[in-house]
Amino acid sequence: QVQLVESGGGLVQPGGSLRLSCAASGIIFSRYDMAWYRQAPGKQRELVASFTSNSRTNYDDSVKGRFTISRNNAENTMFLRMNSLKPEDTAVYYCNAHSGYSGFDYWGQGTQVTVSS
């Protein structure tokens, strides 16, 4: 059974920082492209950052220079370090695992990030 479990969300003031974690089980983690998505109320889910199985990273322009994605294949875990948070970063953040072989996607249940004073 595949599980992606996010943690680390919460309420933070503008300018603050958070570190999200995604713990994966039931997949050969190193073979999957991993990514963080987010969905704000009334908006579509959007890609925030990705870290492919061959170690390529990509960021949405809105988070470049503020967010850092990383992964630890030995521990089946992915992270998103978020600095200089803005109110517009408020959303539910989802962990995604994508198989380049099958094209299949797995999703976590999401973790809420709220940036507010």
Side-chain angles (χ1 to χ4, degrees):
Q1 182 181 357
V2 177
Q3 280 194 313
L4 300 176
V5 180
E6 301 98 335
S7 60
L11 173 64
V12 64
Q13 292 187 341
S17 298
L18 284 175
R19 187 193 192 213
L20 304 184
S21 300
C22 171
S25 60
I27 59 172
I28 302 175
F29 184 80
S30 62
R31 294 183 183 178
Y32 279 73
D33 297 335
M34 299 299 297
W36 289 98
Y37 285 75
R38 67 185 179 188
Q39 188 166 18
K43 294 188 177 181
Q44 289 188 330
R45 192 173 295 190
E46 63 178 5
L47 176 65
V48 176
S50 62
F51 198 131
T52 67
S53 59
N54 58 359
S55 301
R56 292 183 179 178
T57 60
N58 182 59
Y59 297 90
D60 184 79
D61 286 344
S62 66
V63 307
K64 281 182 181 176
R66 299 189 298 122
F67 291 10
T68 303
I69 189 171
S70 60
R71 63 190 289 170
N72 184 329
N73 287 342
E75 297 188 356
N76 293 356
T77 308
M78 175 177 66
F79 305 96
L80 185 68
R81 178 67 180 179
M82 305 185 294
N83 295 328
S84 303
L85 282 161
K86 304 175 180 180
E88 51 263 43
D89 295 318
T90 295
V92 178
Y93 283 71
Y94 296 92
C95 173
N96 168 266
H98 174 75
S99 169
Y101 177 75
S102 68
F104 198 80
D105 284 282
Y106 295 102
W107 294 92
Q109 82 288 350
T111 185
Q112 176 71 47
V113 171
T114 302
V115 184
S116 175
S117 55

